Amino acid sequence: MNTIDIAIRILLFVLAPAFGCLFFGIDRKLTARMQNRVGPPLLQPWYDFKKLMGKTEEIVNHIHLVFAFAYVAFIMLALGIFLMDGDLIVICFSLGASQVFLALGAFSVRSPYSHVGAHRHLLQMVAVEPLLILAAVTIKLQTGSFVLSDIYARSTYPFFGINTILLLSLPVAFFIVILATIVDTQKSPFDISTAHSEIVSGTFVEYSGPYLAITKLGHWFELSLLFAFVSIFFSSDVLWISIAGKLTLDFAVFLLILVIDNSTARLTIDRLVKFSVRIGLPLIIINIVLIVISSMGVIA
Amino acid sequence: MNGTEKSRLKSPWITHINTGGCNGCDIEILACLTPKYDIERFGILNKGNPKHTDVLLVTGPVTKKYIHVLKNLYDQTPGPKVVIAVGTCACSGGVFKDLYNVEGGVDQVIPVDVYIPGCAVKPEAIIDGVVLALEKLKKLQEGTWKEVGE
Ligand code: SF4
């Protein structure tokens, strides 16, 4: 890694929340257009953020805030590891740790809405985290490594005799990552732990002013991380094809999430857990078995 | 005006509180969120949570039982905040004025910035009211606001 390389990575890290902010701006605008409304300006999340930063501080207790900062710190750590081409498993676990801190923060106050949100958040983690880690395992089986730089180098691994990108060889893992993205961005039908108009905003209910803004910042980082995760599934030796492919893939997933968000209603938390156990888990295990069999040379 | 002050005008999040009205005004507030009126184009979101709120839309006369609840909600809202009395009841007590269980208009309990009369109020009037409240906030920030009679 030379200096320019590192500079680009740092730049990407700094720009990550901007991507997240823009995502939510486009999201709100497109959602409004799909509902035949005009919708807010594109930079609305940024205005919200600045307004929240300027509000008076109302603190419930200090532990609550410590957990909020820990949530953001672990998300930033995960993104940092990702951008330095680190280990996929470490990324998954530090994403998981950040979610645990969010839930702990929500448990540290007395609001029942916050507690319901935290319970749901933990259950949602139980449903999605194992799938995400298994998805990382399939990537490892396919490319022989958990480390991203190796994954990029070897993602033209032959599958059933075809030289192809990860997306084509691991459709199930890709599906799982999209599922995780929907769940973590709190989009319908899996916007369960923040469930607006049901438990107000669940985990975030007691954060206010600047501290709510901090959790929003964390959320923007989280979003960038998830889209970075999606982009693993396409890489090529030629730089511009690689970048164009990654961006196209991200954009396609973004549109897919928006359409799903606008055309479905919220499910209950046990439906999410059942969905992950009955559909997600078997699918990904089948995928793992297939990879193992094909690598033993039985099929291919 | 600095960036924060500008953003304040562009992102007023609302919570609506019914202090004992007939629910007519509440229906009209919800009508504002529909595609026809689309208040989200002003950056307005219905939060339903005082801790995330900038603008409190209060409907209905304040009943005696509701006084401490309203005060509590007002105190939980972090500043700067704006209170809008929506509907005749909220402005003065309306048809419920002088009932044995009614304290009166919202301004008997918490300070009100903008009054929107009407029974029930029109969604257009609510949007006008919120925009008026934002103008007041803008003038307050610029220091050019004058109370009536000043
Ligand atoms: S102003 Fe009229 S419509 Fe509104 S709450 Fe009072 S009685 Fe109902």
Side-chain angles (χ1 to χ4, degrees):
Chain A
M1 242 185 260
N2 56 25
T3 334
I4 298 176
D5 219 22
I6 291 177
I8 289 176
R9 280 156 211 261
I10 291 175
L11 189 70
L12 278 179
F13 185 80
V14 175
L15 284 180
F19 286 127
C21 174
L22 209 59
F23 169 91
F24 284 110
I26 299 173
D27 166 27
R28 278 174 73 176
K29 190 82 191 172
L30 277 183
T31 303
R33 293 308 301 146
M34 283 182 197
Q35 295 169 353
N36 211 4
R37 294 189 283 121
V38 178
L42 214 53
L43 286 179
Q44 187 62 44
W46 173 241
Y47 299 138
D48 293 349
F49 181 79
K50 286 196 65 182
K51 175 205 72 180
L52 287 171
M53 286 309 271
K55 295 207 66 150
T56 49
E57 298 179 17
E58 301 219 338
I59 297 169
V60 185
N61 63 46
H62 289 276
I63 301 289
H64 193 218
L65 307 182
V66 171
F67 284 131
F69 282 108
Y71 158 67
V72 181
F74 270 86
I75 279 291
M76 287 168 82
L77 178 72
L79 188 68
I81 297 173
F82 191 100
L83 288 175
M84 295 317 278
D85 287 345
D87 196 310
L88 219 46
I89 286 288
V90 182
I91 294 168
C92 285
F93 275 103
S94 80
L95 179 65
S98 73
Q99 305 299 316
V100 171
F101 281 123
L102 199 57
L104 285 178
F107 273 127
S108 73
V109 291
R110 284 177 55 201
S111 159
Y113 291 119
S114 190
H115 284 202
V116 174
H119 279 134
R120 290 181 179 195
H121 205 83
L122 288 177
L123 273 176
Q124 155 191 318
M125 266 187 62
V126 169
V128 173
E129 273 309 291
L131 291 185
L132 207 56
I133 289 167
L134 283 177
V137 169
T138 58
I139 294 176
K140 138 96 183 166
L141 287 173
Q142 190 71 318
T143 59
S145 175
F146 278 126
V147 180
L148 277 169
S149 47
D150 295 342
I151 291 175
Y152 293 140
R154 296 183 212 155
S155 43
T156 47
Y157 194 84
F159 184 72
F160 289 108
I162 317 162
N163 245 354
T164 176
I165 49 178
L166 274 182
L167 174 60
L168 295 180
S169 60
L170 297 174
V172 180
F174 188 59
F175 168 73
I176 297 297
V177 171
I178 294 181
L179 177 73
T181 314
I182 295 179
V183 172
D184 276 357
T185 48
Q186 290 296 317
K187 290 280 171 211
S188 217
F190 298 129
D191 54 341
I192 296 164
S193 75
T194 57
H196 180 67
S197 78
E198 184 190 347
I199 51 170
V200 198
S201 40
T203 10
F204 300 107
V205 79
E206 291 283 331
Y207 289 108
S208 65
Y211 303 107
L212 184 64
I214 297 284
T215 61
K216 286 225 176 298
L217 185 70
H219 210 146
W220 294 348
F221 269 111
E222 191 176 341
L223 199 82
S224 304
L225 176 69
L226 288 162
F227 275 99
F229 217 115
V230 168
S231 75
I232 299 176
F233 285 84
F234 189 99
S235 67
S236 155
D237 300 335
V238 191
L239 187 66
W240 70 268
I241 293 184
S242 193
I243 291 175
K246 279 174 194 289
L247 286 180
T248 321
L249 199 60
D250 274 347
F251 193 66
V253 170
F254 171 58
L255 282 185
L256 182 71
I257 289 177
L258 271 193
V259 171
I260 293 176
D261 181 36
N262 278 298
S263 52
T264 53
R266 184 184 311 136
L267 295 176
T268 54
I269 182 71
D270 26 323
R271 292 279 284 281
L272 170 61
V273 177
K274 276 180 197 157
F275 180 81
S276 113
V277 173
R278 288 186 188 157
I279 299 176
L281 216 53
L283 273 179
I284 201 140
I285 288 175
I286 290 173
N287 198 334
I288 291 179
V289 170
L290 274 181
I291 295 171
V292 172
I293 292 176
S294 74
S295 67
M296 288 193 310
V298 181
I299 296 179
Chain B
M1 252 200 305
N2 63 28
T4 311
E5 289 174 347
K6 262 188 209 149
S7 305
R8 232 168 244 159
L9 303 177
K10 284 185 173 172
S11 137
W13 290 354
I14 62 171
T15 285
H16 96 262
I17 304 168
N18 185 343
T19 56
C22 76
N23 218 356
C25 291
D26 305 83
I27 302 281
E28 300 301 325
I29 289 177
L30 292 181
C32 295
L33 302 165
T34 57
K36 182 161 184 190
Y37 297 105
D38 183 28
I39 50 172
E40 204 192 342
R41 66 202 145 108
F42 302 113
I44 302 176
L45 282 185
N46 187 5
K47 280 290 174 182
N49 174 4
K51 302 215 168 180
H52 296 184
T53 298
D54 309 293
V55 180
L56 291 166
L57 295 180
V58 190
T59 64
V62 184
T63 55
K64 294 234 153 82
K65 287 240 173 194
Y66 213 89
I67 296 172
H68 77 279
V69 180
L70 186 58
K71 276 188 186 151
N72 191 352
L73 288 170
Y74 181 78
D75 290 340
Q76 282 187 30
T77 311
K81 56 194 161 191
V82 173
V83 179
I84 303 182
V86 179
T88 309
C89 288
C91 294
S92 64
V95 286
F96 303 110
K97 193 176 166 70
D98 292 338
L99 277 185
Y100 65 91
N101 62 337
V102 167
E103 180 76 9
V106 174
D107 51 6
Q108 306 290 313
V109 182
I110 55 174
V112 173
D113 295 290
V114 175
Y115 297 84
I116 312 176
C119 178
V121 283
K122 283 181 163 185
E124 289 93 334
I126 296 177
I127 297 173
D128 277 353
V130 175
V131 172
L132 194 67
L134 294 180
E135 257 164 44
K136 177 173 176 182
L137 186 62
K138 187 174 167 196
K139 284 190 179 157
L140 278 175
Q141 285 176 351
E142 286 168 347
T144 56
W145 174 257
K146 282 200 180 65
E147 291 291 338
V148 180
E150 247 181 52

